[in-house]
Amino acid sequence: MSDFKVSDILLSKGNARSIIDIDELSVEELDKIIKRACDIMENPKKYSKACEGKKLATLFYEPSTRTRLSFEAAMMELGGNVLGFSSASSASVSKGESVSDTAKVISCYADIIAMRHPYEGAPLVAAESASIPLINAGDGGHAHPTQTLADLLTIYREHGRLNNMVIGLCGDLKYGRTVHSLIKAMIRYEGVSFVLISPRELSLPAYIKTEVLEKNNVTFAETTSLEEAIPKLDILYMTRIQRERFDDLDEYERLKDSYVLTKSKLAAAKESMSVLHPLPRVNEISVDVDDDSRACYFKQALYGKFMRMSLILSLLEGSAGTIREKVTAQDKKKPKCRNPKCISQIEQELPQRFKIGTDACTRCAYCDNLIESN
């Protein structure tokens, strides 16, 4: 009779470290991940069997090309295997399964999870139920930490530093999760300031201005003019106006062409400036910019693979990330989060969870949405 016990296997996967947002990584951890990514680039054979026998589960509830394939390529190049799904229709969520239950089940089959979900806070819920590390691969308009890792490596490789930068963020700053995560990462480095370039309707959420920028005494300016901002910048981070984030398609049509970077507009920029974009682009960067030495967005996609390789190794080693404990207590004294994109809107059994910011405002712990009293 075998001594095999399922309970022992599940318990052995406990204390999983996960990454839901970029600010869960310290500057020291970021620097270590960047350093190892550079070593991976220079010595790929050294890491070709680093994850032999390990499995990455890619749980992608909404379409993705770059992020999903980048994660899969990262794991394969580390010698590991990949399983998962690429749309919600391919998963048991189509049968009504909760994010929490999915995470528990996948923990039985894999060693680490990469999860993308259209509802904000879903990866947090999954990480609290999983017994293996989980990486947020993008949750609605909330956060996208591994894209930020790609951004950091791009800036570092192109400029040799992450401090003393003027960074222009252009386009959809309201729903642009890559922008939110990049701000949270770069404020930890000395001498970084931001120029926020957007239509007023797509300006940076107030909680990021107050909780992240103002709280940390970071200099920033707001403008609607790309032409006015571009001569001052060391980094220009372009973003797509994302149709999938709009409930009102008329508003999307009105705003979608707000900014288009062309070769002629680049004439006013520094020769040392770098143009970044998380991709995919639609028409916000003209193809005539692609051959410019300042265009870094395709390099950025490549750098993302190396940073994901480095992060996967760090999490499997337990040397980075946050240990999650499931919260079950429900605060019935507070009103429900009204954000239609919050995971608490579709999974009704989740406890209502809140946090108080330095602005003394109550926010949803899942999506960071401001909670208004009834």
Side-chain angles (χ1 to χ4, degrees), residues 207 210-211 215 354-363 370:
Y207 81 89
T210 58
E211 289 288 293
K215 176 183 174 182
F354 307 92
K355 58 186 179 181
I356 305 297
T358 55
D359 56 0
C361 292
T362 303
R363 302 187 182 281
L370 180 65

Side-chain angles (χ1 to χ4, degrees), residues 140-214:
H142 185 233
H144 196 349
T146 63
Q147 177 60 54
T148 301
L149 293 178
D151 302 340
L152 294 179
L153 183 58
T154 305
I155 295 169
Y156 179 77
R157 298 286 292 192
E158 295 299 311
H159 293 265
R161 68 186 194 280
L162 290 171
N163 57 1
N164 300 316
M165 292 271 177
V166 179
I167 301 175
L169 305 170
C170 182
D172 180 1
L173 309 189
K174 180 178 181 180
Y175 301 111
R177 58 194 172 196
T178 60
V179 166
H180 304 166
S181 292
L182 182 61
I183 289 173
K184 291 176 181 179
M186 290 301 297
I187 62 166
R188 267 91 65 78
Y189 293 93
E190 186 178 355
V192 172
S193 62
F194 296 92
V195 181
L196 310 177
I197 310 158
S198 72
R200 289 181 178 85
E201 298 90 337
L202 296 177
S203 63
L204 194 70
Y207 81 89
I208 296 182
K209 294 179 191 176
T210 58
E211 289 288 293
V212 181
L213 294 173
E214 292 175 1

Side-chain angles (χ1 to χ4, degrees), residues 78-98:
L78 290 170
N81 296 302
V82 179
L83 64 158
F85 54 82
S86 58
S87 70
S89 62
S90 303
S92 289
V93 66
S94 62
K95 304 174 185 177
E97 183 173 63
S98 69

Side-chain angles (χ1 to χ4, degrees), residues 268-322:
K270 299 176 184 178
E271 285 299 318
S272 60
M273 188 188 79
S274 297
V275 180
L276 277 65
H277 191 304
L279 300 177
R281 67 173 166 186
V282 181
N283 63 347
E284 61 277 2
I285 299 179
S286 173
V287 293
D288 67 5
V289 175
D290 292 356
D291 293 330
D292 193 287
S293 61
R294 291 165 286 193
C296 296
Y297 29 91
F298 293 117
K299 291 181 187 177
Q300 195 178 349
L302 178 60
Y303 289 144
K305 180 187 69 173
F306 296 116
M307 286 297 269
R308 290 181 177 104
M309 291 172 75
S310 183
L311 180 62
I312 287 169
L313 287 172
S314 295
L315 291 176
L316 288 175
E317 292 167 355
S319 59
T322 301

Side-chain angles (χ1 to χ4, degrees), residues 21 61 101 124 153 172 193 227 306 355 372:
D21 209 343
Y61 289 79
D101 282 0
L124 172 62
L153 183 58
D172 180 1
S193 62
E227 290 82 357
F306 296 116
K355 58 186 179 181
E372 297 179 359

Side-chain angles (χ1 to χ4, degrees), residues 221-242:
E222 296 182 88
T223 181
T224 58
S225 173
L226 173 59
E227 290 82 357
E228 177 186 300
I230 202 167
K232 312 168 189 175
L233 306 179
D234 298 300
I235 305 291
L236 174 58
Y237 196 96
M238 297 294 295
T239 66
R240 173 174 62 95
I241 308 296
Q242 304 171 85

